[in-house]
Amino acid sequence: MARHNGGARNAEAGSRRKISLALQGGGAHGAFTWGVLDRLLEDGRFEISGVTGASAGALNAVVLAEGMRRGGEQGARDLLCEFWEGVCERARLSPVRRSPLDIWLGNWSVDHSPGLMMMDVLSRLVSPYEFNPLDINPLRSLVRRVVDFPALASEGRISLFVSATDVESGGVRIFANEEITLDAVLASACLPYLFKAVEIDGRHYWDGGYVGNPSLTPCLYQTEADDVVLIQINPAHRRGAPRTARGIGNRIDEITFNASLVRELRAIAFINELCANGARLPSRLRPLRLHRIAADEQLSAVSASSKLNAEIGFVRHLHALGREAGAGWLASTGELVGLRSTHDAIGGGPFPGHSAPERQAASRRTRHAPDRGHGGSAQAFRASVERVCDCTSALRALFPTLKRGA
């Protein structure tokens, strides 16, 4: 796939701003995230301090970190390309493929795929412990080939976090840095209808997207960057209510896989509000500036079932969409990194492409900047917080993953 060079002009010593990346999961739509990463790495303006990811986001995260370890930004771009080409190669053997009608119509959906219909029925009757007793996962050999986990644990250049769902407790498990192994990554991407739960140290794990897609908690107290760039691939909004059984199921899945992210974004907004009004926070916590790169309109136009479509043509299409979205974000809001938030964690905007008045209105709503004065509202806000609850307890209620020692 095409290579672009030219980001070095922005990478002069001392000019790069630190960011953390939060990479959402979403099957083959993770190729969109690859495109965004490719454009950000090419640009060279930012130093990546940490990456947190779940499911496909976890795969992108570990491949990015391994590429950075081997050869910096260009090494990461090359390795991400190699990984996604490997995904496409393995997808050639998948029974879930577009129907002849969808191919003729140029539709990337696999809603009419006989393989998907058969898999849908099969998953309701038998479990992967029965139809996949050997627990065959085509990603295992690919990830093992692409990522040297022992070397990444000892020589990694960025902080790395991968989320998985604890099957028994229903809580999130965040694997960090040296804890991240091949099994941890496969656990984060373990769809329970297709694969056996991944056992690690006597605990069983499923796809991290259910409870941490991705988890933003590490960005609060385990990375150096005060700016977090969220790359979101599950559409936050869809117009109208679905009317078909598959459409309803797909939208339920999207809402489910966005729910934990929405909760953590609101928690960060709450922390920022507390800081802006002079509240005392637990040690090591700090306000964060939030940014978001997405393509809601374009990704909403394709069926959620296309997350199972890893044909090379579709992956290239998503990669191109990601590069376009990344370029748009860099042009419209990239220079604001390090200065203020560009994403309204409560209202869901603004996004790249919104007008200046919309950005200004959202900025007034969110009031993320910790040094901004609020006059008499500060005293009222502090009083209400003190009356309702202890600050630390409130934070832990919003952030179940917040460490006791934070």
Side-chain angles (χ1 to χ4, degrees):
M1 300 184 186
R3 283 274 169 253
H4 307 266
N5 293 298
R9 68 182 184 278
N10 295 314
E12 299 176 3
S15 65
R16 295 176 14 129
R17 286 160 284 171
K18 289 185 178 181
I19 60 173
S20 293
L21 295 173
L23 311 182
Q24 196 175 49
H29 290 189
F32 170 83
T33 299
W34 164 38
V36 174
L37 294 174
D38 192 40
R39 186 64 186 86
L40 295 182
L41 291 166
E42 176 190 41
D43 183 77
R45 260 181 278 178
F46 306 108
E47 177 186 344
I48 300 173
S49 172
V51 186
T52 177
S55 198
L59 292 165
N60 276 320
V62 295
V63 174
L64 168 69
E66 172 67 1
M68 292 285 289
R69 181 189 70 83
R70 294 185 190 181
E73 282 81 358
Q74 189 59 46
R77 296 179 67 201
D78 291 340
L79 199 62
L80 282 164
C81 182
E82 178 184 338
F83 170 75
W84 280 99
E85 287 177 346
V87 170
C88 295
E89 181 67 26
R90 282 156 177 76
R92 294 180 181 179
L93 302 176
S94 171
V96 181
R97 305 187 66 81
R98 288 186 296 163
S99 67
L101 177 62
D102 285 326
I103 294 174
W104 184 69
L105 293 174
N107 184 3
W108 295 114
S109 166
V110 292
D111 282 342
H112 305 110
S113 165
L116 178 62
M117 296 177 186
M118 180 180 66
M119 185 178 74
D120 189 31
V121 172
L122 189 65
S123 67
R124 299 173 189 273
L125 299 175
V126 294
S127 80
Y129 294 84
E130 298 166 314
F131 71 77
N132 187 12
L134 299 179
D135 201 25
I136 297 171
N137 187 334
L139 287 176
R140 181 177 291 275
S141 60
L142 174 61
V143 178
R144 181 187 290 117
R145 175 172 63 81
V146 170
V147 181
D148 184 342
F149 285 95
L152 182 60
S154 61
E155 305 169 13
R157 297 171 53 177
I158 59 180
S159 298
L160 188 60
F161 309 94
V162 166
S163 304
T165 301
D166 188 306
V167 177
E168 297 173 59
S169 71
V172 62
R173 167 70 191 275
I174 301 175
F175 296 91
N177 300 314
E178 66 276 0
E179 296 176 328
I180 297 176
T181 62
L182 175 61
D183 281 342
V185 175
L186 294 179
S188 183
C190 176
L191 292 174
Y193 297 109
L194 296 180
F195 306 109
K196 296 179 181 180
V198 178
E199 183 176 355
I200 301 174
D201 297 332
R203 306 292 295 183
H204 295 85
Y205 299 98
W206 282 339
D207 195 296
Y210 292 112
V211 291
N213 194 22
S215 178
L216 303 180
T217 311
C219 300
L220 281 166
Y221 58 91
Q222 290 182 274
T223 66
E224 297 179 359
D226 292 328
D227 289 82
V228 178
V229 179
L230 166 66
I231 303 177
Q232 188 171 5
I233 55 181
N234 286 317
H237 305 281
R238 281 190 185 270
R239 294 180 180 177
R243 295 180 177 271
T244 66
R246 187 173 296 279
I248 292 170
N250 288 340
R251 186 54 182 156
I252 289 173
D253 286 344
E254 287 176 344
I255 293 171
T256 300
F257 278 90
N258 274 332
S260 62
L261 175 63
V262 171
R263 183 188 69 241
E264 294 202 20
L265 285 172
R266 288 175 175 171
I268 289 175
F270 178 55
I271 290 170
N272 289 345
E273 190 75 10
L274 289 173
C275 290
N277 288 283
R280 187 177 65 180
L281 294 179
S283 61
R284 299 172 63 198
L285 283 183
R286 65 192 191 280
L288 295 176
R289 292 180 288 267
L290 298 173
H291 314 275
R292 178 181 184 263
I293 303 176
D296 282 344
E297 184 176 345
Q298 294 89 335
L299 293 179
S300 293
V302 297
S303 169
S305 69
S306 62
K307 293 178 181 180
L308 298 173
N309 180 8
E311 294 178 41
I312 190 166
F314 186 45
V315 167
R316 285 174 173 167
H317 171 67
L318 291 169
H319 175 262
L321 282 180
R323 281 189 58 86
E324 181 181 353
W329 180 82
L330 286 167
S332 63
T333 59
E335 289 302 320
L336 297 176
V337 172
L339 300 177
R340 66 174 179 86
S341 291
T342 59
H343 175 58
D344 176 4
I346 302 299
F351 307 137
H354 278 215
S355 65
E358 287 174 313
R359 288 195 183 114
Q360 291 168 4
S363 178
R364 287 194 296 270
R365 288 199 308 273
T366 54
R367 296 176 296 176
H368 283 323
D371 58 346
R372 187 177 299 166
H374 296 283
S377 65
Q379 292 181 349
F381 186 82
R382 280 198 298 269
S384 66
V385 170
E386 291 170 359
R387 285 197 305 267
V388 173
C389 61
D390 171 75
C391 175
T392 302
S393 298
L395 291 173
R396 287 185 178 131
L398 285 166
F399 262 128
T401 54
L402 187 60
K403 289 185 176 179
R404 282 281 165 187

